């Protein structure tokens, strides 16, 4: 145990030195005279921040190895985390359920950690980023990204204490607005960008939000009252299309710059050739899965195996028919979705 205390305190001293460096504090505790220090370009500063972040990542690994020697566990490995980003009603539950049924795979469903940080960072306080007082200020980004990293890993380890040898899929479509921050904080983790035609997404949630629909009933149980899509369907369509743009837009931004293994999955492809799409996805994620086990999981979760009484209008499992929006949305509603989501629609579903 003395070795443990010494190692951890040493790491803590290193972290404190890093924080002091960011704050401009010298050894005797006084503030450094920034005016007397040679000016550094942004490129130099960015390089130094990247180097320090790498050192902190190496410290993570060393602490995990030490913990494994002391108590026999090493915790969830960042490189074995698989994020699913996108938006609701896109097959997230279906995909994550298949992934979670594989041997050695767990699923953390909608922790909303991306919502916690993303809405704060990209939302109301976006204009505060350059302030030295703002907790998520740009100048301290390396520091608070480290905090986000620890927050996610601590949460994962608390919920999945035996997952150090397997993979943890985090289904985070609700928090996809914060995907860029999460992937920057955990660059070695893997990412799935799951997309679906926004017109089908909106049509599905429109049905679910009508009185008696599963989403309406869930909100009523949670809050005791709620409005319905029956009262003003066009407003529901507009709000959901805007949400699609923000969530999938955030996920796409993270996907484009993510340096680790990643895969783009379209719901329509997953529906048409589930097994083939799953094989491709795992190949691109650089994860080896047993072919027979994967085939079994796909068969077990096939749409045809869902009891008929659990499928249909107003149900969570609705109809799984790509292009069904043509029957579900009015021409005006369809145009509304197309106009709002145009940047993403034109890229993923070009005319």
């Amino acid at each position: 145990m003395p070795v443990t205390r010494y190692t951890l305190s040493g790491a803590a001293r290193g972290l404190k030195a890093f924080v002091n460096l960011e704050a401009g504090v010298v050894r005797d505790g006084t503030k450094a005279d920034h005016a007397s220090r040679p000016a550094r370009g942004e490129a130099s500063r960015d390089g130094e921040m990247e180097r320090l972040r790498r050192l902190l990542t190496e410290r993570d690994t060393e602490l995990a190895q030490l913990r494994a020697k002391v108590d026999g566990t090493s915790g969830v490995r960042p490189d074995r985390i698989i994020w699913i980003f996108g938006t609701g009603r896109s097959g997230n539950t279906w995909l994550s359920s298949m992934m979670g049924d594989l041997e050695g795979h767990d699923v953390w469903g909608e922790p909303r950690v991306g919502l916690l940080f993303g809405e704060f960072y990209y939302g109301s306080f976006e204009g505060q980023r350059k302030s030295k007082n703002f907790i998520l200020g740009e100048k301290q980004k390396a520091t608070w990204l480290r905090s986000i990293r620890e927050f996610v890993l601590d949460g994962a380890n608390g919920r999945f204490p035996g997952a150090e040898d397997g993979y943890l899929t985090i289904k985070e479509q609700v928090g996809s607005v914060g995907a860029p921050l999460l992937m920057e904080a955990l660059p070695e983790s893997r990412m799935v960008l799951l997309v679906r035609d926004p017109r089908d997404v909106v049509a599905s949630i429109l049905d679910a939000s009508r009185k008696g629909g599963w989403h309406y009933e869930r909100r009523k149980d949670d809050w005791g009252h709620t409005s319905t899509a029956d009262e003003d369907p066009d407003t529901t369509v507009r709000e959901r299309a805007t949400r699609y743009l923000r969530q999938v837009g955030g996920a796409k931004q993270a996907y484009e710059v993510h340096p680790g293994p990643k895969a783009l999955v379209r719901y329509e492809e997953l529906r048409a050739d589930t097994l083939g799409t799953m094989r491709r996805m795992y190949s691109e994620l650089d994860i080896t899965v047993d072919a027979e086990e994967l085939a079994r999981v796909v068969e077990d979760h096939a749409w045809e195996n869902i009891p008929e009484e659990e499928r249909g209008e107003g149900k969570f499992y609705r109809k799984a028919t790509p292009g069904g929006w043509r029957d579900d949305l009015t021409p005006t509603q369809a145009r509304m979705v197309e106009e709002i989501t145009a940047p993403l629609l034109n890229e993923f579903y070009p005319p």
Side-chain angles (χ1 to χ4, degrees):
M1 294 305 293
V3 174
T4 304
R5 286 197 299 271
Y6 174 79
T7 304
L8 292 177
S9 64
R13 287 196 300 272
L15 182 59
K16 181 178 180 182
F18 164 62
V19 173
N20 283 345
L21 175 64
E22 282 294 279
V25 178
V26 295
R27 286 187 177 181
D28 62 1
T30 61
K31 297 291 290 185
D33 181 3
H34 290 277
S36 64
R37 292 164 56 184
R40 293 182 299 172
E42 287 299 321
S44 175
R45 177 182 175 81
D46 290 345
E48 183 176 316
M49 291 300 97
E50 182 60 31
R51 182 182 66 81
L52 289 171
R53 194 192 309 175
R54 283 199 304 271
L55 290 175
L56 289 174
T57 299
E58 292 172 3
R59 192 208 69 166
D60 265 0
T61 302
E62 292 173 357
L63 289 179
Q65 292 171 344
L66 176 65
R67 183 166 53 197
K69 292 179 181 179
V70 173
D71 58 22
T73 62
S74 57
V76 176
R77 287 172 45 182
D79 64 321
R80 287 180 174 257
I81 291 177
I82 310 167
W83 297 90
I84 300 178
F85 292 116
T87 191
R89 311 311 296 160
S90 296
N92 299 276
T93 300
W94 176 32
L95 177 59
S96 63
S97 295
M98 289 190 286
M99 296 171 72
D101 271 3
L102 292 170
E103 184 69 26
H105 290 245
D106 290 294
V107 175
W108 189 1
E110 300 181 31
R112 290 173 166 78
V113 64
L115 194 66
L116 172 65
F117 294 105
E119 289 292 345
F120 188 70
Y121 185 74
Y122 296 108
S124 303
F125 298 98
E126 183 174 359
Q128 296 293 314
R129 293 184 199 171
K130 295 188 181 300
S131 170
K132 65 179 181 179
N133 298 315
F134 185 46
I135 191 65
L136 299 186
E138 288 294 338
K139 290 185 177 180
Q140 289 76 37
K141 191 172 185 179
T143 302
W144 54 258
L145 276 177
R146 163 72 184 170
S147 298
I148 291 178
R149 179 186 179 89
E150 290 187 339
F151 190 79
V152 172
L153 293 177
D154 285 347
N157 287 321
R159 290 162 178 79
F160 304 92
E164 63 270 10
D165 295 325
Y167 289 92
L168 176 62
T169 294
I170 304 181
K171 181 169 77 86
E172 183 64 348
Q173 73 275 10
V174 176
S176 289
V177 65
L181 299 181
L182 294 174
M183 299 314 294
E184 190 172 358
L186 293 145
E188 65 273 66
S189 60
R190 304 159 201 253
M191 175 182 176
V192 175
L193 173 56
L194 178 63
V195 298
R196 186 183 185 185
D197 188 314
R199 293 162 294 195
D200 277 327
V201 169
V202 172
S204 181
I205 196 63
L206 183 64
D207 173 74
S209 300
R210 293 192 172 103
K211 190 171 184 179
W214 69 268
H215 191 257
Y216 169 85
E217 294 299 327
R218 177 182 293 180
R219 295 175 66 194
K220 186 176 69 172
D221 290 342
D222 289 344
W223 303 330
H225 63 85
T226 182
S227 58
T228 73
D230 304 285
E231 299 169 5
D232 189 357
D234 287 357
T235 295
T236 299
V237 168
R238 186 178 300 106
E239 290 175 348
R240 288 294 167 168
T242 301
R243 184 175 302 184
Y244 181 102
L245 182 66
R246 294 191 71 231
Q247 292 178 335
V248 179
K252 176 177 176 289
Q253 179 184 342
Y255 183 84
E256 289 175 341
V257 299
H258 180 52
K262 57 188 176 183
L264 170 64
V265 176
R266 289 179 174 81
Y267 171 83
E268 295 78 10
E269 297 170 345
L270 191 64
R271 186 77 179 92
D273 181 11
T274 308
L275 183 57
T277 302
M278 293 288 285
R279 286 172 177 162
R280 174 184 63 80
M281 182 190 77
Y282 278 113
S283 175
E284 293 177 358
L285 293 177
D286 195 22
I287 298 175
T288 301
V289 295
D290 182 80
E292 292 185 2
E293 185 183 17
L294 184 61
R296 174 192 61 78
V297 165
V298 167
E299 175 62 27
D300 289 347
H301 290 270
W303 170 261
E304 292 72 20
N305 289 332
I306 299 174
E308 288 192 16
E309 62 271 18
E310 297 180 15
R311 292 184 277 169
E313 291 188 5
K315 307 285 182 60
F316 184 83
Y317 303 102
R318 186 166 165 260
K319 59 182 181 180
T321 304
W325 61 268
R326 294 180 177 85
D327 299 323
D328 303 323
L329 300 178
T330 67
T332 299
Q333 291 170 345
R335 284 195 300 272
M336 191 184 304
V337 176
E338 290 166 354
E339 290 172 358
I340 293 174
T341 65
L344 299 173
L345 181 65
N346 294 336
E347 177 172 350
F348 294 123
Y349 300 94

